[in-house]
Amino acid sequence: MSIPGTGQDPTLRWGFGLGGASLPLLRRLLAAGLIDRIALPPQPGEGISAQPETTPPRANECDWAARSLGELLASEWPRSQAFVAVGACGAITRLIAPLLGDKTSDPAVVVLDPAGRYAIPLIGGHAGGAEVLSQRIAAVLGGEAVLTGASSGDGRLALDSFGRAWGWRRGSGDWDALMKGFARGEPIAVAQQAGNGRWRQLDAAQGLLSEPESVEQDHPQEAAVARRLVVAAERGDGCRWHPPSLWLGVGCERNTSLSLLERMLDGALAEQGLAAEAVAGLASADRKADEPALLQLAERRGWPLRCFEAEALNAVAVPNPSAVVAAELGTASVAEAAALLAAGPGAQLRLGKRIERPGAGERGAATLAIAAAASQWAPQRGQLHLIGSGPGSLELLTPDARRALAESHVWVGYGLYLDLLEPLRRPDQLRSDGQLTQERERCREALEMACQGLTVALISSGDSGIYGMAGLALEQWMALEAGDRPGFTVHPGISALQLAAARAGAPLMHDFCTVSLSDRLTPWAVIEQRLRAAAAGDFVVALYNPRSRGRDWQLGRARELLLEGGRPAQTPVVLARQLGRQEEQVSLHTLGDLPLEQVDMLTLVLIGNASSRVAGGRLVTPRGYPGAELA
């Protein structure tokens, strides 16, 4: 059982323009979820041209006519995450200049030209996330992100911000010195003791030096070097990223004070030299799932709370079991067992059970144990995008899919499909190739990384929800506990069926169906049953996976079944191969003379119904079925 915590104050992303002509552009970004609110310019006669009267304000749009734009920005600046401005860079710079504070705390500001061709991260490129936001905006608008930062311009990793994409929290260190040294080409040494290490495979991470895992113990003087990047659960010297790898097991008396729990946790982490940013979550017994102080602590710190049944806790071997606890709760351990159970296979106990007594004005008592997980875990930070890449051409990739690809820091898919998308991949995005027949393994890999807190794209050709990866991934996602599930979004794509129909003419003007001839996941007897039903119903039929080297007879048998079911031999058939790619071939045939040997797994077979006909090299299925009138 998992209870997610939030612990995050809401932050706004504003969009505004210096004229009414910017409103359609901003509304596109609002619809795409890239901004939360639009500030409209004053009405005509107040010095700035306003939006046309035909486009009145909608929800999430406010008029700043009652006060100046500068006043609006000043009031919203401290609590906003980002501002997207449409206008000249100079004018926007002068507007925000009085508000600028520190680059680590200022919100992101992205400037767009009125046509939406260029997205420029003006300030907050790394810490504020302006570069990432620019890339997402460019993907939605079909424009270009103009990145001028030293790391981005050279295709190198932004060391002071990249860890967020990998589900980590940034810790202490002289980050300014690290980034300036990196920009000058000085060597950067990396030591990693926790978290997902696949970021080292990034194109943008090449050139970083590795240190032995024991460098801090063996060379304490070297550990103080500023130009070191350390990925670990511990606090210390160097610039630190903290993966979510620590689980805090907590047991407490009923109605224990929140202040007692916080004092206990903060003190233990400090004593052990562990970073609070490395905490993955809290763990306890299921009888504590409604404990007020535990729930408040989870909410305040943004830590999920995982609770386990006594039987599961009692099965965990712990160094400090308690007969008293066993008699009362049915398990000899709560804190240690819960921490180890939540941390999963390979977990190590970093702190054995300790007891905290109440201080002045406090109630209750509590126990704490800390376990380190073998892998990081933060599904509340993760997102799994199921992306349909279309038939092959980047021109046929939907804007929604482009945005999801831009947001994702890991792309998982079959190598051929990833090759087609390769021109869109950035050096800071990891490509993970899979084998054609290993769909379940690819789903598992993508879901595991999303559960670690990463944003992952699981890519199919065509539409992910049509013979793609969406179904397999969703089954695995649904098998997780509700609190262990990362975000899950399916992004539609243009299917091979749609493009084949467009190339052939208009064959889908009446009822149609699709049938896959692959019997790898479906028994052939079931496929034959569906083919007979399609013939009896006189559907236009699209055949996917029609023929391969190991399955060279199924297409011939499908033709036999359709002919036996009453489909005339002169029924028109479209063979569409390599759709949307340079090798695209589309040809017209009849069911009786279908050239089976020309068909392979890169071909879609589209078979007309009784009313389909060909004229002028085009295939059409009339809207009106024989015997019926088209109103």
Side-chain angles (χ1 to χ4, degrees), residues 16 67 99 134 142 154 172 321 367 481 490 506 536 547 575:
F16 67 90
R67 51 181 172 168
L99 306 173
S134 297
D154 294 338
S172 61
T367 57
E481 293 286 339
V490 180
R547 189 171 180 268
L575 296 184

Side-chain angles (χ1 to χ4, degrees), residues 512-515 527-543 561-562 565 567 609:
F512 62 91
C513 67
T514 63
V515 179
I527 297 174
E528 285 207 1
Q529 181 182 6
R530 292 172 178 173
L531 288 168
R532 288 191 179 94
D538 196 30
F539 288 96
V540 174
V541 182
L543 299 179
L561 291 171
L562 292 172
R567 196 70 53 102
N609 68 4

Side-chain angles (χ1 to χ4, degrees), residues 495-534:
S495 69
L497 168 67
Q498 292 170 285
L499 187 55
R503 295 287 194 259
L508 304 180
M509 294 297 101
H510 217 283
D511 297 337
F512 62 91
C513 67
T514 63
V515 179
S516 171
L517 297 188
S518 173
D519 56 357
R520 194 168 66 86
L521 298 176
T522 306
W524 180 253
V526 175
I527 297 174
E528 285 207 1
Q529 181 182 6
R530 292 172 178 173
L531 288 168
R532 288 191 179 94

Side-chain angles (χ1 to χ4, degrees), residues 13 28-35 132-142 383 385 387-388 397-409 411 424 426 429 455-457 489-492:
R13 294 167 297 177
R28 288 178 64 185
L29 299 181
L30 184 66
L34 294 176
I35 57 177
V132 173
L133 181 58
S134 297
Q135 290 161 346
R136 294 175 180 176
I137 289 172
V140 167
L141 300 180
Q383 178 71 39
H385 292 293
I387 296 177
L397 187 65
T398 67
D400 181 56
R402 281 180 178 268
R403 180 178 65 84
L405 285 171
E407 291 180 3
S408 301
H409 289 84
W411 294 5
L424 300 179
R426 303 188 306 270
Q429 293 176 307
T455 299
V456 183
T489 307
V490 180
H491 303 270

Side-chain angles (χ1 to χ4, degrees), residues 45-119:
E46 299 194 34
I48 301 178
S49 60
Q51 72 279 8
E53 294 183 5
T54 55
T55 57
R58 305 173 184 173
N60 297 323
E61 297 179 358
C62 67
D63 191 340
W64 43 267
R67 51 181 172 168
S68 70
L69 179 56
E71 291 174 333
L72 175 69
L73 293 176
S75 66
E76 299 297 330
W77 191 266
R79 68 187 188 104
S80 294
Q81 183 184 63
F83 292 87
V84 178
V86 181
C89 285
I92 304 302
T93 300
R94 284 189 291 273
L95 270 172
I96 66 172
L99 306 173
L100 295 177
D102 184 83
K103 69 177 184 179
T104 62
S105 58
D106 283 333
V109 176
V110 176
V111 179
L112 303 179
D113 68 290
R117 296 169 298 179
Y118 305 108

Side-chain angles (χ1 to χ4, degrees), residues 147 149-158 182 202-206 426-428:
L147 309 182
S151 300
S152 303
D154 294 338
R156 292 180 293 139
L157 207 58
F182 195 34
L202 294 171
D203 298 338
Q206 302 310 303
R426 303 188 306 270
D428 65 332

